[in-house]
């Protein structure tokens, strides 16, 4: 076992060596520009990109021409939200999202709100789940887009996106889902879930960083979208810029591997997560599970340790790489907006750790991590008791 142990797979994943292998020829051999139509270098690159587009489409029940390659889920979310808002401005200016969303959804929404759009942010419940009824209540005649994530990146809770999609379609409203945490981890189908736009990020499922995709429905209904980036008209005009062929090949390869291994791997992760949870619970009193107890990503465990500061706990177990709150907001001293939206007190939110198990996590690592957590919590709590006892005697 090598230290430190990586248990932060909701922040990012190690690129699978099989994915790296598949990408390599596209740096040094098939290095043409996929937009070069006049020679073999370009044709071969284009073939690779179109093969990848087919693979990605098949993975989510879409058609190849409905896939737009982007730099990642942040860009896909921005393109979906700002793109639809601008293209649909004559239809209406009302957008709906949820308080538990990733900043890559909330921040574009906030910018649109500053620019005059009307944005409703619905609450999530205590488990981090967005109720379809809450979304239904927020809908208006002027609503053009609803954005609700498939799986939460902090607490792992799965949302009932098929129900949200159905009620959007009944009202003729477009439905976007940020599926960065769900793709490759739980089965997803854009038809079954009535999804019109879906964001994908390769580095969340053992693919390379800097590549993602946006699914954009072409039929029933056809989504109208204003591009964010102009110049050259690549990706059918939705996203100009030379397509990064090796990254696209990496995305598609990673997705295919993840889907091949999904049934067995989700069972394996579920068992590891239960083992970690049970071992910590057996050794440490005063913990609380955050997120839904069963309806959650198999590889996610989010716990609050009562009377322990999450940051301090993280520092006290340097051999285990986890995250307190969300990695994306780690520079920001505020407690996690997701935990706060779930109604946790600020203290409990600050006492939380996210354990993100992944493809390369082993049983030995889980047992080591459980012991490390138990030891660190005990040390911190005894220091706290000594400190409070000491200060009381003054
Ligand atoms: C990681 C993540 C993102 C951002 O994806 P990038 O590809 O890194 O831009 C967006 N939403 C969710 C839910 C995520 O987990």
């Amino acid at each position: 076992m090598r230290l430190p142990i990586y248990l932060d797979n909701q922040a990012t994943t190690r690129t699978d060596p099989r994915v790296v292998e598949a990408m390599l020829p596209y740096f040094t051999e098939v290095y043409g520009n996929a937009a070069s139509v006049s020679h073999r270098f370009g044709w071969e690159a284009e073939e690779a990109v179109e093969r990848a587009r087919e693979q990605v489409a098949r993975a989510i029940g879409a058609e190849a021409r409905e896939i737009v390659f982007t730099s990642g889920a942040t860009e896909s979310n921005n393109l979906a939200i700002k793109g639809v808002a601008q293209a649909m401005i004559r239809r209406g200016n009302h957008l709906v999202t949820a308080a538990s969303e990733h900043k890559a959804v909330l921040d574009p929404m906030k910018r649109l709100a500053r620019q005059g759009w009307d944005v409703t942010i619905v609450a999530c419940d205590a488990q981090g789940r967005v109720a379809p009824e809450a979304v239904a209540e927020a809908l208006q005649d002027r609503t053009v887009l609803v954005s609700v994530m498939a799986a939460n990146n902090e607490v792992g809770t799965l949302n009932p996106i098929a129900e949200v999609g159905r009620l959007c379609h009944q009202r003729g409203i477009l439905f976007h889902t940020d599926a960065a945490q769900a793709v490759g981890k739980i089965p997803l189908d854009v038809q079954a879930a009535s999804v019109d736009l879906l964001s994908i990020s390769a580095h969340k499922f053992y693919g390379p960083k800097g590549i993602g995709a946006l699914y954009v429905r072409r039929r029933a209904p056809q989504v109208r979208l204003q591009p964010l980036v102009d110049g050259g008209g690549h990706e059918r005009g939705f996203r100009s810029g030379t397509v990064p062929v090796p990254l696209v090949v990496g995305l598609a390869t990673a997705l295919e591997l993840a889907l091949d291994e999904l049934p067995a791997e989700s069972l394996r992760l579920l068992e590891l997560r239960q083992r970690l949870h049970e071992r910590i619970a057996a050794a440490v009193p005063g913990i609380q599970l955050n997120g839904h107890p069963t309806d959650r990503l198999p590889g996610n465990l989010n716990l609050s340790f009562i009377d322990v500061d999450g940051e301090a706990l993280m520092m006290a177990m340097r051999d285990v790489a986890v995250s307190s709150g969300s990695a994306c907001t780690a520079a920001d001293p505020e407690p996690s907006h997701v935990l706060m939206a779930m109604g946790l007190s600020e203290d409990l939110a600050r006492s939380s750790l996210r354990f993100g198990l992944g493809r390369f996590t082993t049983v030995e690592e889980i047992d080591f991590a459980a012991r490390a957590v138990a030891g660190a919590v005990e040390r911190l709590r005894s220091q706290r008791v000594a400190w409070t006892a000491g200060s009381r005697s003054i």
Side-chain angles (χ1 to χ4, degrees):
M1 193 174 61
R2 283 230 314 256
L3 298 179
I5 290 165
Y6 188 70
L7 285 181
D8 205 8
N9 284 280
Q10 266 92 60
T12 193
T13 58
R14 170 187 173 195
T15 308
D16 192 301
R18 294 170 292 178
V19 172
V20 176
E21 197 65 33
M23 290 169 65
L24 286 176
Y26 296 92
F27 287 102
T28 52
E29 289 160 40
V30 188
Y31 51 81
N33 187 323
S36 299
V37 294
S38 51
H39 49 67
R40 177 177 296 272
F41 297 89
W43 303 333
E44 287 182 350
E46 200 218 348
E47 267 172 37
V49 170
E50 294 316 312
R51 219 172 20 249
R53 202 185 303 282
E54 279 286 345
Q55 284 174 298
V56 173
R58 212 178 313 125
I60 57 168
E63 289 173 27
R65 59 186 189 139
E66 296 177 307
I67 302 299
V68 176
F69 290 118
T70 67
S71 63
T74 300
E75 185 186 334
S76 295
N77 290 344
N78 272 268
L79 176 56
I81 294 164
K82 294 172 183 169
V84 165
Q86 278 161 11
M88 303 288 281
I89 190 68
R90 286 207 190 84
R91 249 294 301 280
N93 73 337
H94 181 237
L95 311 164
V96 175
T97 190
S100 49
E101 292 292 311
H102 193 277
K103 291 281 162 103
V105 164
L106 291 174
D107 287 353
M109 289 282 185
K110 281 183 195 155
R111 184 175 299 279
L112 289 173
R114 285 198 296 275
Q115 292 172 349
W117 271 269
D118 188 7
V119 178
T120 300
I121 299 179
V122 305
C124 62
D125 68 14
Q127 269 92 47
R129 185 175 175 277
V130 179
E133 299 74 31
V135 175
E137 237 169 75
L139 300 181
Q140 305 175 3
D141 290 339
R142 300 171 300 119
T143 311
V144 289
L145 180 74
V146 169
S147 181
V148 174
M149 71 200 322
N152 186 272
N153 50 297
E154 291 190 34
V155 295
T157 300
L158 307 180
N159 275 322
I161 58 164
E163 290 172 52
V164 176
R166 197 175 326 119
L167 71 92
C168 288
H169 277 193
Q170 280 164 0
R171 300 272 304 251
I173 294 164
L174 295 176
F175 176 46
H176 167 250
T177 188
D178 176 353
Q181 293 290 342
V183 170
K185 311 212 182 105
I186 58 167
L188 272 181
D189 184 290
V190 293
Q191 306 305 343
S194 307
V195 170
D196 300 309
L197 299 125
L198 179 142
S199 300
I200 299 176
S201 173
H203 75 93
K204 300 294 173 72
F205 50 83
Y206 314 95
K209 293 166 187 55
I211 186 74
L214 179 66
Y215 158 73
V216 184
R217 181 180 288 278
R218 285 282 298 234
R219 269 186 311 183
Q222 176 173 18
V223 173
R224 293 201 307 130
L225 205 59
Q226 192 111 114
L228 301 176
V229 182
D230 292 310
H234 307 76
E235 296 297 286
R236 299 194 351 268
F238 285 134
R239 207 280 191 171
S240 288
T242 303
V243 175
V245 183
L247 297 180
V248 163
V249 168
L251 164 68
T253 307
L255 186 47
E256 200 151 86
L257 286 172
L259 291 187
D260 283 349
E261 298 176 0
L262 192 151
E265 179 62 3
S266 50
L267 275 181
R268 192 187 74 91
L269 285 175
L270 188 62
E271 280 174 15
L272 285 181
R273 181 188 82 206
Q274 279 166 346
R275 186 180 179 104
L276 180 61
H277 192 183
E278 282 161 14
R279 298 209 159 201
I280 294 175
V284 184
I287 65 168
Q288 174 187 308
L289 175 70
N290 298 314
H292 198 280
T294 52
D295 230 1
R296 66 190 297 139
L297 288 172
N300 174 285
L301 181 66
N302 189 310
L303 297 175
S304 284
F305 297 86
I306 294 159
D307 287 343
V308 178
D309 179 60
E311 289 289 317
L313 182 52
M314 231 166 41
M315 296 304 165
M317 33 178 254
R318 291 222 172 253
D319 283 333
V320 184
V322 294
S323 159
S324 77
S326 164
C328 306
T329 54
D332 161 350
E334 290 295 299
S336 146
H337 74 277
V338 175
L339 297 175
M340 297 302 283
M342 289 162 54
L344 267 73
S345 67
E346 207 166 301
D347 273 354
L348 217 47
R350 283 188 202 282
S351 77
S352 85
L353 287 190
R354 177 184 69 182
F355 301 87
L357 290 63
R359 182 177 290 167
F360 304 103
T361 306
T362 63
V363 180
E364 292 71 36
E365 289 180 331
I366 288 301
D367 292 353
F368 181 95
R371 283 195 301 274
V373 171
V377 172
E378 201 172 296
R379 277 200 306 285
L380 289 173
R381 282 191 179 145
S382 65
Q383 280 164 17
R384 189 187 155 99
V385 169
W387 184 82
T388 22
S391 58
R392 233 183 263 123
S393 66
I394 291 173

